[in-house]
Amino acid sequence: MGPGLFWNFTSKTSCTVPQSLLQTMLLSRMAGMKDQHFTEEKPLLPESRGQETEMENCETFIAAGDWKEHDVETPYGMLHVVIRGAPKGNKPAILTYHDVGLNHKLCFNTFFHNEDMQEITKHFVVCHVDAPGQQIGAPQMPQGHQYPTMDQLAGMLPSVVQHFGFKSIVGIGVGAGAYILAKFALIFPDLVEGLVLLNIDPNGKGWIDWAATKLSGLTSALPDTVLAHLFSQEELMNNTEVVQSYRQQINNTVNQFNLQLFWNMYNSRRNLEMNRSGSVLNAKTLRCPVMLVVGDNAPAEEGVVECNSKLDPTNTTFLKMADSGGMPQITQPGKLTEAFKYFLQGMGYIAYIKDRRMSGGPVPSASMTRLARSRTASLTSAGSVDGSRNRACTHSDSGEGVGQVSHTMEVSC
């Protein structure tokens, strides 16, 4: 209730108010309240994992700047890890892995510094992993150094989980990092509760693609080659401020020799060995809930669609984000945060997160986010709505496919 709407009946000071005057005052108060709306604050979803039905007290939250750097020893070399918070109860850790040409700061700072995202992550331990030699200030690797394969990069992550005592993780990966986290989930499914995979390409390069990449490396500078992997053609042609900024930062903050090793290894990756159940004999796929994300006209769009066709439609969400280009976590962090919130709620976490729009705080001005859902392997294919993700669905107006019925969900950001 608003200020001044409480009547104090416990005062020891005695006074007499005529009943007619008291009624007039109450009616005046009620008339002034008729246009006010009060929303009962309830959990958006009941907790399903034996946790508290309300969030922990504010005293347990970790300050946003309280990050600690670690070097974790693994069977395939050292990993640079940045962590905030400590494991609490049975909650998973949020673990991120960046794309080629980036590190955790370049890839995720904008996303994780978003105010709404911090409202989510302060309830979890957050762990950023940098691929070997990609962190800011990393020493140059020696000539002839054998960079870990993509399988080995995935095999380094159990050491991180064990080192910090995580029960499990919810992974957020972009590009090469998405491939690594998917590989990790295939090998160690019990350690992964959910995955948010941006710009994932599950396919290895064929000989023609491999040769084209080699030729591109001979005719273009490494940063320009990497930028074509990160951004849409439209963004590159317009030479947007974001592209200019990342060209400079890739040049100045990432060791170019180390980057070349990581780039070469990513381009020599093999197909992720997963197929939708029933499509092939003894098919193996990701068992955890997955949200696939790609920007409109992004370089990775075809790969993400292909990955979607290999996943279980009952626990997969495909999100194609408009006006986000090749790096949705940078250009549309508010939209992605909203989708991530619903993803965690669908898993039974985050019973209630305060909506700043209820408290009169600033509201992101982003447009509506569309989560396209369908039971087919088309462009808008994704999982059907299960019981834990009870979402309102409408028919898509995209016009993709004749007779195709796709389900969409509108999420205001």
Side-chain angles (χ1 to χ4, degrees):
M1 299 180 71
L5 298 183
F6 292 93
W7 290 88
N8 183 5
F9 294 103
T10 60
S11 173
K12 294 182 180 180
T13 303
S14 176
C15 65
T16 302
V17 180
Q19 185 174 1
S20 59
L21 177 61
L22 180 61
Q23 290 176 345
T24 302
M25 294 172 66
L26 284 172
L27 289 173
S28 176
R29 285 287 187 183
M30 292 173 67
M33 292 170 58
K34 66 179 180 180
D35 292 328
Q36 299 186 35
H37 302 278
F38 303 97
T39 303
E40 184 180 2
E41 296 180 348
K42 294 182 179 180
L44 295 178
L45 282 179
E47 294 285 352
S48 60
R49 301 176 186 268
Q51 299 169 350
E52 306 86 358
T53 57
E54 295 184 0
M55 280 302 182
E56 298 83 0
N57 293 329
C58 292
E59 289 76 13
T60 66
F61 295 162
I62 306 299
D66 190 16
W67 295 94
K68 296 181 180 179
E69 298 189 40
H70 300 265
D71 289 314
V72 179
E73 186 175 355
T74 79
Y76 306 106
M78 301 295 290
L79 268 184
H80 180 261
V81 175
V82 180
I83 190 170
R84 185 190 72 190
K88 185 176 181 62
N90 292 323
K91 281 187 178 178
I94 296 175
L95 184 145
T96 74
Y97 214 117
H98 60 86
D99 202 354
V100 175
L102 309 176
N103 47 55
H104 82 271
K105 289 187 176 180
L106 293 179
C107 193
F108 292 111
N109 259 15
T110 301
F111 181 44
F112 276 82
H113 285 174
N114 179 273
E115 187 173 354
D116 289 326
M117 186 62 177
Q118 291 187 44
E119 192 71 26
I120 296 173
T121 58
K122 67 185 180 182
H123 303 291
F124 296 85
V125 56
V126 179
C127 178
H128 295 303
V129 176
D130 286 318
Q134 310 303 305
Q135 70 270 25
I136 295 176
Q140 182 167 310
M141 295 175 167
Q143 292 288 338
H145 176 77
Q146 180 58 50
Y147 201 83
T149 65
M150 300 300 285
D151 287 6
Q152 289 172 339
L153 290 172
M156 300 170 88
L157 295 179
S159 299
V160 176
V161 173
Q162 183 179 13
H163 180 86
F164 295 107
F166 301 154
K167 295 285 194 305
S168 59
I169 69 154
V170 171
I172 305 177
V174 181
Y179 180 100
I180 292 166
L181 287 179
K183 188 71 177 181
F184 173 55
L186 288 170
I187 302 173
F188 305 98
D190 293 338
L191 296 180
V192 182
E193 288 202 36
L195 289 174
V196 178
L197 305 176
L198 290 79
N199 299 337
I200 185 172
D201 187 346
N203 300 319
K205 285 187 176 293
W207 284 106
I208 295 178
D209 291 333
W210 180 85
T213 301
K214 284 291 185 183
L215 181 61
S216 175
L218 294 174
T219 58
S220 304
L222 180 59
D224 290 329
T225 303
V226 172
L227 285 171
H229 162 76
L230 297 175
F231 293 99
S232 68
Q233 285 299 314
E234 181 180 354
E235 289 172 304
L236 293 174
M237 289 176 61
N238 293 336
N239 197 26
T240 64
E241 184 177 343
V242 173
V243 172
Q244 295 177 33
S245 174
Y246 272 81
R247 177 182 284 109
Q248 181 179 5
Q249 293 187 78
I250 291 171
N251 265 314
N252 297 336
T253 65
V254 181
N255 184 284
Q256 300 297 290
F257 182 82
N258 298 352
L259 170 56
Q260 185 71 65
L261 294 178
F262 188 21
W263 177 249
N264 291 344
M265 195 54 68
Y266 176 64
N267 284 311
S268 63
R269 68 190 182 278
R270 299 179 298 174
N271 291 347
L272 279 175
E273 298 175 354
M274 60 183 188
N275 289 281
R276 185 171 291 182
S277 179
S279 59
V280 298
L281 186 64
N282 298 323
K284 183 179 181 181
T285 191
L286 297 174
R287 287 165 31 186
C288 62
V290 179
M291 182 168 70
L292 300 175
V293 183
V294 68
D296 53 350
N297 301 316
E301 181 178 349
E302 185 177 341
V304 177
V305 172
E306 174 70 15
C307 183
N308 185 60
S309 70
K310 297 175 179 291
L311 299 181
D312 182 353
T314 64
N315 64 1
T316 304
T317 299
F318 180 75
L319 172 58
K320 185 176 179 180
M321 298 181 64
D323 304 320
S324 62
M327 297 181 69
Q329 79 280 13
I330 301 298
T331 55
Q332 295 287 1
K335 286 184 179 182
L336 187 57
T337 297
E338 185 77 6
F340 184 55
K341 179 179 73 173
Y342 279 94
F343 180 73
L344 290 176
Q345 288 173 351
M347 295 173 61
Y349 294 110
I350 305 193
Y352 166 69
I353 293 181
K354 187 175 183 180
D355 191 335
R356 292 182 294 113
R357 284 167 288 190
M358 296 297 183
S359 59
V363 180
S365 60
S367 60
M368 303 295 280
T369 299
R370 186 183 72 174
L371 275 69
R373 307 178 66 84
S374 172
R375 297 177 186 272
T376 68
S378 66
L379 268 177
T380 56
S381 173
S384 60
V385 180
D386 58 43
S388 65
R389 303 182 191 187
N390 187 16
R391 297 166 174 169
C393 296
T394 62
H395 291 297
S396 172
D397 57 358
S398 62
E400 295 164 332
V402 178
Q404 174 185 321
V405 177
S406 60
H407 299 286
T408 66
M409 174 184 146
E410 302 291 339
V411 183
S412 60
C413 296

